[in-house]
């Protein structure tokens, strides 16, 4: 049964004095907020602060005790919940791909319920898989358990986009991924966000992620909205101590000059290392098996560079050796100063580097990760 | 037949053929499997619908399952005897008794399977805009299939046993051959009919086990 297209674009989302109580405890206490169309607003705060509850009210998974929520000046309580939700994409940390459906069935489920024909669904699924950088002929007929965590999260995003909703709700979408993968997906998400042109409401507990992705950041604490503003506004004019402590980087940044790479190293696990003589086909299956998206290509014991799973999947010649597709990245000794290494990386636009100990690879340096450790 | 010139193998084989033919075991097997199939199909239909019904009426779920549990505790021969005044002799009471025994595992597993589907799937389904009906048919039922088949597997074993006992109340089937063997004290008949019944039970259980494993691998927990 086809449901009505409720809105083609979002002009505004308004929460007016929204309150929700469970027994005597406030989940949300008198929250008012204005979100403009096309904005990416990030909700951040300690667990139990009400950020997820706020998100889940916008598609009526939770209904307020009092207050109103308006989308394009329409009160959402007057809209049919099923129709409303089909106009809003939803992505969560646990992804929740249905294990009994193939990737194509997962993505196309709502389209099928909407009565689209097979051809139209297939075209849409192929387009979306391509959009999230998964070759469709390779992934359509697989089951979720055959995919790595990062691949599943991409499918989760594709599934949320199937009805081309003008609004996306994302609840810690990268929260369950390992740090390396998280950085990469954040990077990609940042790039595709432009193409998406959607209004996005995003929940996280990672301030670095908030600074990186958000147009505005809403800080919640104890069921209340404490402050909303751009990163600069929050850093320079924090509303209270709590906001200052979340965003305040000044105290810790002072120590940056003295930090060495070894203080911020992400240790190497041997599963990342692949020999350069490996062909692409076997490298892909090894990486999918190990659930990793980046592999270190080594020549015996010496690291030559990295290859990304996404790039390998796109190669036509699956017989060729991975050594021919290595991307070189800088390598630093673990005793080198962090600040100078970061400068070098920034100059050449590298997002990661090798860390060497006694001439051997011992870990990675991720500038973004380093910053979040410094300020976290 | 000149048995002295034959080896042990052909002796056993010829005995087997003789027992099989004098007791018309082909016919008995057909009777047996007919009762068995009718009972299983009926129990599955009633059990799965009852499970679905209880899922939609959680308040009566526990009393109903307790009642089925009570039925389960009645030993099989007394149950058959209790059913005689209502259904008479033969395959009627045998099928009814099989269904009564099979209801508990099928109903309970259907109900539990639907109820205990991982809530994260239900939550995301709701958030995607599936109606409660869609959630039931597209998510809850498929994800509880391994559990439902598990219940069916228990029912298969129960039913095989009860249908065999039906021989006592003129229901025919392999039980009839077995009882004839016991009454006439023909060891060969008892052995052949007994082993054959056992083998059938093992085969059906094995087949159901394969289906269950497949479903678990495809639908269940990875």
């Amino acid at each position: 049964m086809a449901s009505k297209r409720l809105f083609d674009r979002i002009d505004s989302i308004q929460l007016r004095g929204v309150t929700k109580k469970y027994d005597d405890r406030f989940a949300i206490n008198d929250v008012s907020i204005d979100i403009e169309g096309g904005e990416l607003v990030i909700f951040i705060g300690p667990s139990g602060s009400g950020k997820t509850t706020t998100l889940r009210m916008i598609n009526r998974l939770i209904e307020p005790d009092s207050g109103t929520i308006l989308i394009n000046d329409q009160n959402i309580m007057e809209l049919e919940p099923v129709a409303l939700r089909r106009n809003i994409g939803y992505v969560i940390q646990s992804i929740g791909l249905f294990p009994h459906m193939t990737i194509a069935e997962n993505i196309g489920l709502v389209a099928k319920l909407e009565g689209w024909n097979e051809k139209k669904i297939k075209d849409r699924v192929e387009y979306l898989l391509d959009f999230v950088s998964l070759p469709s002929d390779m992934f359509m007929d697989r089951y979720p358990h055959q995919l790595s965590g990062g691949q599943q999260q991409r499918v989760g995003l594709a599934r949320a986009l199937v009805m081309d909703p003008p609004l996306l709700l994302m609840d810690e979408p990268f929260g369950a991924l390992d740090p390396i993968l998280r950085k990469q997906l954040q990077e990609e998400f940042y790039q595709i966000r432009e193409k998406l042109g959607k209004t996005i409401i995003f929940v996280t507990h990672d301030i670095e992620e908030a600074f990186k992705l958000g147009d505005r950041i809403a800080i919640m604490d104890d069921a209340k909205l404490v402050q909303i503003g751009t990163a600069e506004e929050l850093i320079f004019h924090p509303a209270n101590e709590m906001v200052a402590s979340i965003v305040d980087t000044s105290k810790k940044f002072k120590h940056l000059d003295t930090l060495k790479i070894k203080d911020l190293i992400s240790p190497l696990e041997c599963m990342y290392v692949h020999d350069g003589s490996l062909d692409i086909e076997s490298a892909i299956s090894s990486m999918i098996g190990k659930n990793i998206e980046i592999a270190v290509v080594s020549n015996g014991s010496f690291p030559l560079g990295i290859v990304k799973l996404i790039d390998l999947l796109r190669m036509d010649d699956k017989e060729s050796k991975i050594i021919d597709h290595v991307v070189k990245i800088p390598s630093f000794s673990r005793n080198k100063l962090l600040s100078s290494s970061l400068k070098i990386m920034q100059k050449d636009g590298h997002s990661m580097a090798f860390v060497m100990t006694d001439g051997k690879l011992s870990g990675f340096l991720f500038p973004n990760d380093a910053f979040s450790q410094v300020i976290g | 037949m000149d048995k002295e010139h034959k080896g042990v193998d052909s002796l056993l084989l010829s005995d087997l053929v003789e027992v099989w033919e004098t007791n018309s075991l082909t016919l008995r097997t057909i009777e047996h499997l007919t009762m068995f199939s009718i009972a299983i199909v009926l129990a599955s239909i009633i059990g799965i619908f009852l499970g679905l019904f209880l899922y939609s009426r959680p308040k009566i779920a526990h009393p109903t399952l307790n009642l089925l549990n009570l039925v389960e505790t009645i030993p099989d021969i007394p149950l058959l005897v209790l059913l005689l005044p209502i259904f008479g002799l033969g395959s009627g009471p045998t099928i009814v008794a099989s269904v009564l025994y099979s209801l508990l595992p099928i109903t309970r597993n259907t109900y539990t399977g639907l109820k205990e589907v991982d809530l994260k799937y239900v939550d995301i389904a709701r958030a995607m805009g599936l109606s409660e009906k869609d959630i039931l048919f597209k998510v809850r039922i498929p994800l509880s299939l391994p559990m439902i088949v598990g219940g069916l597997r228990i029912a298969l074993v129960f039913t095989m046993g009860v249908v065999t006992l039906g021989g006592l109340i003129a229901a025919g089937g392999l039980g009839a051959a077995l009882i004839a063997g016991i009454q006439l004290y023909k060891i060969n008949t008892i052995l052949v009919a007994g082993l054959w019944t056992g083998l059938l039970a093992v085969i059906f259980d094995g087949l159901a086990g394969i289906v269950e494993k497949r479903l678990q691998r495809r639908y269940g927990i990875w």
Side-chain angles (χ1 to χ4, degrees):
Chain A
M1 174 200 62
S3 59
K4 209 169 63 181
R5 181 91 179 153
L6 294 175
F7 16 78
D8 279 321
R9 46 164 300 179
I10 300 290
D11 296 317
S12 67
I13 299 170
Q14 295 164 308
L15 277 68
R16 291 274 167 271
V18 176
T19 298
K20 177 76 188 178
K21 263 177 137 175
Y22 290 110
D23 300 324
D24 281 338
R25 199 182 59 81
F26 281 104
I28 304 188
N29 188 357
D30 192 23
V31 166
S32 295
I33 190 169
D34 281 287
I35 294 168
E36 286 170 32
E39 233 187 338
L40 197 162
V41 173
I42 298 216
F43 281 83
I44 190 166
S47 45
S49 59
K51 50 193 197 300
T52 294
T53 310
T54 309
L55 190 81
R56 290 166 66 86
M57 283 192 162
I58 294 168
N59 62 0
R60 286 188 61 179
L61 285 176
I62 299 175
E63 300 189 340
D65 294 332
S66 63
T68 50
I69 299 172
L70 307 168
I71 298 181
N72 294 354
D73 297 324
Q74 277 177 289
N75 187 340
I76 61 165
M77 295 308 289
E78 290 160 10
L79 301 170
E80 214 272 307
V82 167
L84 175 72
R85 290 170 194 152
R86 289 187 188 180
N87 284 270
I88 300 177
Y90 189 69
V91 184
I92 48 171
Q93 178 176 336
S94 62
I95 315 171
L97 296 182
F98 301 122
H100 57 294
M101 296 182 194
T102 63
I103 298 310
E105 287 166 344
N106 263 288
I107 297 174
L109 177 59
V110 174
K112 197 172 172 187
L113 294 174
E114 286 278 324
W116 292 20
N117 65 42
E118 294 292 321
K119 171 85 173 65
K120 194 177 166 195
I121 297 176
K122 188 164 179 279
D123 289 348
R124 181 74 183 150
V125 169
E126 281 175 358
Y127 169 80
L128 286 170
L129 279 173
D130 188 51
F131 184 74
V132 297
S133 305
L134 296 173
S136 57
D137 52 341
M138 208 167 165
F139 284 92
M140 286 191 50
D141 298 324
R142 292 197 185 177
Y143 283 93
H145 76 283
Q146 297 168 301
L147 271 59
S148 72
Q151 291 164 344
Q152 289 190 26
Q153 196 52 275
R154 289 167 208 265
V155 175
L157 178 61
R159 182 171 68 173
L161 294 174
V162 68
M163 299 309 293
D164 197 20
L167 173 62
L168 266 184
L169 306 178
M170 307 182 80
D171 191 353
E172 303 206 28
F174 310 128
L177 306 174
D178 70 75
I180 298 176
L181 194 51
R182 186 158 66 223
K183 297 298 147 197
Q184 197 193 336
L185 284 196
Q186 282 172 356
E187 232 27 271
E188 280 179 39
F189 180 70
Y190 189 73
Q191 283 159 18
I192 64 174
R193 202 211 131 188
E194 292 295 310
K195 281 192 265 173
L196 275 172
K198 295 187 186 303
T199 308
I200 299 169
I201 303 177
F202 192 112
V203 165
T204 183
H205 61 257
D206 175 358
I207 187 71
E208 182 61 24
E209 186 169 84
F211 282 156
K212 185 168 176 180
L213 300 176
D215 294 326
R216 283 196 298 160
I217 298 164
I219 296 188
M220 295 202 62
D221 187 31
D222 195 20
K224 290 199 162 204
L225 176 67
V226 181
Q227 188 176 7
I228 178 165
T230 61
E232 286 78 7
E233 284 164 6
L234 297 178
I235 291 170
F236 292 114
H237 308 287
N240 62 20
E241 282 298 307
M242 185 264 171
V243 175
S245 76
I246 285 189
V247 299
D248 184 18
T249 51
S250 59
K251 274 176 270 168
K252 291 173 181 172
F253 269 137
K254 284 182 186 152
H255 302 296
L256 193 60
D257 288 346
T258 60
L259 283 176
K260 291 187 174 170
I261 285 180
K262 65 180 177 190
D263 298 321
L264 293 164
I265 185 172
S266 304
L268 173 78
E269 287 173 53
C270 50
M271 67 172 185
Y272 284 100
V273 181
H274 288 69
D275 198 85
S277 62
L278 215 57
D279 62 62
I280 290 186
E281 190 79 59
S282 352
I284 289 175
S285 64
S286 161
M287 290 171 78
I288 289 177
K290 291 169 178 170
N291 197 3
I292 57 176
E293 304 245 338
I294 293 175
V296 174
V297 180
S298 84
N299 165 20
S301 58
F302 189 74
L304 300 168
I306 56 163
V307 285
K308 291 183 179 174
L309 179 56
I310 252 193
D311 298 332
L312 294 185
L313 288 171
R314 297 197 156 178
M315 305 273 176
D316 292 326
D317 180 14
K318 295 273 194 285
E319 308 271 287
S320 65
K321 310 282 180 217
I322 53 174
I323 199 165
D324 300 326
H325 303 282
V326 164
V327 179
K328 288 204 162 42
I329 62 171
S331 58
F332 302 115
S333 147
R334 69 196 299 266
N335 290 317
K336 199 172 160 69
L337 277 175
L338 183 68
S339 50
S340 61
S341 315
L342 291 179
K343 268 179 203 149
I344 295 171
M345 290 179 75
Q346 195 190 11
K347 188 164 68 76
D348 300 333
H350 288 294
S351 59
M352 64 185 288
F354 289 138
V355 179
M356 310 295 283
T357 306
D358 303 328
K360 275 189 181 164
L361 180 62
S362 62
F364 303 108
L365 176 68
F366 294 97
N368 291 330
D369 211 24
F371 275 120
S372 65
Q373 285 187 46
V374 170
I375 62 180
Chain B
M1 242 182 273
D2 188 0
K3 282 184 183 176
E4 279 169 65
H5 295 288
K6 298 195 174 182
V8 179
D9 287 346
S10 53
L11 184 86
L12 281 177
L13 189 67
S14 65
D15 283 350
L16 180 69
V17 171
E18 196 204 327
V19 169
W20 192 277
E21 281 172 355
T22 50
N23 290 286
S24 1
L25 283 188
T26 307
L27 181 71
R28 291 296 182 210
T29 305
I30 292 170
E31 285 172 356
H32 195 90
L33 291 183
T34 308
M35 281 189 284
F36 176 81
S37 316
I38 295 173
I40 283 295
V41 169
L42 280 178
S44 305
I45 294 172
I46 302 172
I48 290 173
F49 272 96
L50 191 57
L52 280 167
F53 179 74
L54 294 183
Y55 166 73
S56 66
R57 301 270 187 321
K59 275 189 186 156
I60 59 163
H62 266 277
T64 312
L65 289 175
N66 282 339
L67 184 72
L68 289 177
N69 225 336
L70 195 71
V71 174
E72 206 76 15
T73 55
I74 306 173
D76 32 24
I77 295 179
L79 182 67
L80 281 175
V81 174
L82 283 174
L83 291 171
L84 285 181
I86 313 170
F87 296 98
L89 281 171
S91 57
T94 309
I95 291 173
V96 173
S98 304
V99 171
L100 285 177
Y101 277 126
S102 303
L103 273 184
L104 178 70
I106 298 177
T107 308
R108 186 188 50 205
N109 279 31
T110 306
Y111 170 74
T112 315
L114 290 172
K115 211 164 94 44
E116 310 222 318
V117 163
D118 191 333
L119 279 181
K120 81 175 176 194
Y121 298 123
V122 176
D123 187 59
I124 189 81
R126 194 168 288 137
M128 285 164 69
L130 269 70
S131 63
E132 293 306 310
K133 191 183 118 229
D134 291 332
I135 293 175
L136 181 64
F137 285 101
K138 302 277 179 191
V139 180
R140 281 197 192 263
I141 291 180
L143 288 179
S144 37
L145 273 183
M147 189 94 179
I148 297 174
V149 173
L152 202 64
R153 195 175 163 191
I154 301 171
L156 288 178
V157 178
F158 283 177
T159 302
M160 200 49 112
V162 177
V163 166
T164 310
L165 275 181
L168 280 175
I169 55 165
L174 291 167
L178 205 56
I179 282 158
I182 293 168
Q183 282 167 348
L184 301 172
Y185 200 64
K186 283 191 172 170
I187 293 290
N188 283 355
T189 309
I190 298 172
L191 273 180
V192 172
L195 285 175
W196 177 230
T197 314
L199 186 65
L200 281 177
V202 170
I203 290 171
F204 279 107
D205 183 55
L207 288 177
I210 292 170
V211 175
E212 189 185 5
K213 284 263 154 51
R214 286 227 170 147
L215 285 171
Q216 270 172 354
R217 219 177 309 148
R218 215 187 123 184
Y219 286 10
I221 310 135
W222 308 97

